Amino acid sequence: MPDDTTILSLPLILPAQAQKHVTHNEALVALDLIVQLSVLNRTLATAPALPAAGDRHIVAAGATGLWAGQAGRIALYAETGWQFTQPLPGWRAHVLSEGQTAVFDGLVWETPSEAPLTVPQLGVAATADAVNRLTVAAPATLLSHAGAGHQLKLNKAAAADTASLLFQTGFGGRAEMGTAGSDDFSVKVSATGSAWSTALAAAAATGEVTLPAPLHLGGQASDPASPPDGTLWLNSGSGQVKVRSGGVTLPLGGGGGIGDGDKGDITVSAGGTVWTVDPGAITLAKLASVSTDIFLGRDTAGTGAPEALTAAQARGILNVADGATANAADAALRDRATHTGSQAAATITGLAAVATSGSASDLGAGTLPAARFNDAAHGARAGGTLHPDATTAVSGFLSGADKTKLNGVATGATANSPDATLLARASHTGTQLAATVSDFAEAVDDRVAALLVAGANITLSYNDAGNALTIAAAGGGGATNLSYDATSRTVISDSGADAVLPVFTSANAGLVPASGGGTTAFLRADGTFAAPAGGGAGTDLTYVAASRTLESSTGADVVLPLVSPSAAGLMPAPESGPGRFYAFNDMMSATSGPDFTFGQSGTGASLTTRTGLADGGIGWVNLNLGTVATNRVSCSVANDSILLGAGRSNYDCRVRQLLLSDATNTFTGRFGFIDTVTTESVDGVFFRYTHSLNGGRFQAVTRANSVETAVDTTILAAVNTTYRLNIAVNAAGTSADFFIDGVLRATIATSIPVGAGRETGAGFMMLRSVGTAAITPATVDYLLLEHVPGTAR
């Protein structure tokens, strides 16, 4: 038999239960709250200062203080203080301060004035039906604006449907306006409600208005005074239909059109049927505007309208060619200097006289006599000849023999010629082969020999590829080739003077012997390579403080002893004492003790010992969240007893994630320094996880008086994965380091709770907010808390 009722979770009296009245009274108290539920308001985020017993409120969002973390719940003030009840979807509460009923939809409370109201039919002083779903019986219906204007919208599904306003008499149609059967707008009328006439139609595509029936103008005895342009009326006195256009009143049609007579430039006769332009009325000023340099005429064949002629068209009509009369002497023509085009030389009078022969034909070909040149020796003409003799005809270019006349330059003169008429050798450009310089080789040999004899030049060179060393020694001797044999350490000379280089010893300098390619042998002082004493590579050692074990990579581990009265040893780690508070729970059971308090709330919520999971742990406790959406489980130590910033504080916990939070089963886990196990901490430094926060990654969080700093650790929670969560707060409380699996993931220096009134505790808690399936999200391996006060006690 269950402990609570299925819907309201009211406690049931169990068989053979002692003190049954307690369970019965708890159920009556719950019913006293829920039945005929009414609350004072739903807008407060903090508890009122002077509540009365029995006061009920719906806690507003962002609740703080005594109501922190209780948003949306029903707060009841009883003799023992504030009690909170989680509503179920569909609960109703009458809000006294608003005079209306609010409904809980599972997330928020809403009243009809806040949510859209949808009803299938609505009648106002009348009965609505399936067709007339909104029916109003009233002297008038007012639809007013709630801003700049108001639109009454009639929407239809397709163009062939109807969206209109229908005017009825005795529920029979008499007039209709709208888009009936098409998107064109029309106005229709009917005397019977069955036969309809269209009075006006406006095309949707163009806006063109059609009046299918005759338009009747009622008429008036006189014309209106200065009507606006476009006004149309019937003057019943004259029988004329008139229109106002361009500020002038004009009659339309017969029965008094424009009368006969002179109308300015037009004469009207024959009852207005003949209109004649008066002679001379069309002046030049009344012709079309003409551009500059334009003739009026007609170039197109046949009779027709005048045309604006171009200059070329005008010359064509006048039969005058473009540029005609350019050679005429008529003073009225332009002067010759402005003429264009070319003229044949034969047409120019007297031009032939300048030719040598006196004939104009000699200008294009022939031979000019030398006398025509001022200095024939220096003259030039294409196709002719230069010659110093003025009486000799020019018949070709200079011959090779005649080149001697060029200022005394000899035939074959070159850059090496000593001819003084050439440029000085210092100003010459380009390069010259050493072989072409007289005695150059001999001079070089003599200079090198002199340097060698004087000892001024000794050259030493080494060929890496051939191990060849070449030396040009002082004293005038020839070069000596040297080579080195690494195997025998011998310097070999082509003169036969070989030398063996020695290996170094502890007393003498020399060559270093080859190592043989090994990586573990070392060079000794006697010039030999050898492995160090002890044999082989070094040994890695690791110290495990918890077991006092010095672990060796070779397997030769050593457990170091503790100090005793008779033998030296390690100093043991202090447990709790005046200088240090230390609490450790290896989760061998879920039983509360002096330091640790296990807790749960809600049907099915529990903490149970887990079996069959080693994963390096000794004991494990499962966190079971039961079957109610508001259940929670927790384990805490030193609640509100730790003041961060008053000494070094360390938190360590190892947890294995078994399920992930999601929209169906939502829960939030907090691990670290927390001051409550029922909701979000007011003061704390902890890890936080839920699927909808930070992309499902663990957050590092600090909170001081509900002011929060949150940092992404980048570690995404994963199923069947164990995490070691460690938090270290420095002694000054100015920095908190967050480690996951021994790696620093975040450091926060803000919102750390320090100072009086900001005390906190430590532990872990898991709070469910959505879902009723029995789930076990995680299991915990151990929990450790250490605090070393800054001031010794």
Side-chain angles (χ1 to χ4, degrees), residues 110-364:
E110 287 187 335
T111 63
S113 62
E114 296 172 320
L117 179 62
T118 302
V119 296
Q121 296 179 9
L122 178 62
V124 179
T127 302
D129 55 37
V131 176
N132 302 294
R133 298 179 184 178
L134 172 62
T135 304
V136 178
T141 300
L142 174 63
L143 302 176
S144 184
H145 68 89
H150 184 86
Q151 287 182 320
L152 179 63
K153 298 181 180 180
L154 302 177
N155 182 60
K156 60 183 183 180
D161 296 334
T162 295
S164 66
L165 292 178
L166 180 63
F167 301 87
Q168 296 179 317
T169 299
F171 298 103
R174 293 297 181 265
E176 184 178 17
M177 59 187 297
T179 56
S182 71
D183 284 339
D184 295 338
F185 183 82
S186 63
V187 177
K188 301 178 182 180
V189 294
S190 174
T192 63
S194 58
W196 292 83
S197 299
T198 300
L200 177 146
T206 63
E208 179 180 339
V209 176
T210 302
L211 302 176
L215 176 63
H216 177 75
L217 299 176
Q220 54 193 76
S222 62
D223 295 339
S226 302
D229 286 350
T231 304
L232 181 70
W233 71 92
L234 171 64
N235 188 314
S236 58
S238 65
Q240 291 179 315
V241 176
K242 297 185 178 182
V243 66
R244 188 75 169 181
S245 178
V248 178
T249 297
L250 302 174
L252 300 178
I258 297 178
D260 291 348
D262 191 356
K263 308 298 182 184
D265 292 341
I266 306 295
T267 299
V268 180
S269 62
T273 60
V274 179
W275 296 46
T276 305
V277 179
D278 295 341
I282 308 301
T283 64
L284 292 177
K286 294 180 180 179
L287 293 175
S289 298
V290 179
S291 303
T292 305
D293 296 334
I294 292 296
F295 292 98
L296 291 180
R298 184 173 177 80
D299 188 50
T300 304
T303 303
E307 299 171 339
L309 303 179
T310 64
Q313 290 175 317
R315 287 194 300 271
I317 295 175
L318 295 174
N319 198 25
V320 177
D322 188 14
T325 71
N327 292 324
D330 192 333
L333 294 176
R334 294 182 297 173
D335 61 288
R336 186 169 286 109
T338 62
H339 290 177
T340 59
S342 60
Q343 184 175 356
T347 65
I348 302 176
T349 304
L351 183 61
V354 302
T356 302
S357 63
S359 172
S361 61
D362 289 337
L363 291 175

Side-chain angles (χ1 to χ4, degrees), residues 500-580:
V500 177
L501 302 179
V503 176
F504 88 90
T505 65
S506 58
N508 298 319
L511 298 179
V512 175
S515 66
T519 59
T520 59
F522 299 90
L523 181 64
R524 301 194 304 182
D526 61 358
T528 62
F529 283 90
T539 299
D540 295 331
L541 298 177
T542 303
Y543 178 66
V544 181
S547 60
R548 309 190 313 278
T549 301
L550 193 64
E551 297 181 347
S552 169
S553 59
T554 62
D557 300 342
V558 176
V559 177
L560 303 179
L562 293 175
V563 66
S564 68
S566 59
L570 298 178
M571 177 68 70
E575 297 296 332
S576 297
R580 175 175 179 262

Side-chain angles (χ1 to χ4, degrees), residues 477-495:
T480 300
N481 294 322
L482 301 176
S483 61
Y484 177 66
D485 184 349
T487 303
S488 60
R489 308 190 309 280
T490 303
V491 178
I492 302 172
S493 170
D494 56 6
S495 64

Side-chain angles (χ1 to χ4, degrees), residues 390-465:
T391 63
T392 305
V394 179
S395 60
F397 288 111
L398 291 174
S399 65
D402 291 335
K403 293 178 181 177
T404 58
K405 303 300 183 182
L406 292 175
N407 199 18
V409 177
T411 302
T414 66
N416 292 326
S417 173
D419 192 334
T421 60
L422 293 175
L423 294 173
R425 187 170 283 107
S427 63
H428 290 174
T429 60
T431 59
Q432 183 176 355
L433 295 174
T436 65
V437 182
S438 301
D439 299 330
F440 178 74
E442 291 82 355
V444 171
D445 290 343
D446 293 343
R447 178 60 178 162
V448 171
L451 290 173
L452 290 175
V453 171
N457 187 16
I458 299 176
T459 301
L460 183 68
S461 61
Y462 179 70
N463 187 324
D464 292 329

Side-chain angles (χ1 to χ4, degrees), residues 57-75:
H57 302 265
I58 294 177
V59 180
T64 60
L66 297 175
W67 286 3
Q70 305 296 335
R73 296 183 177 180
I74 302 166

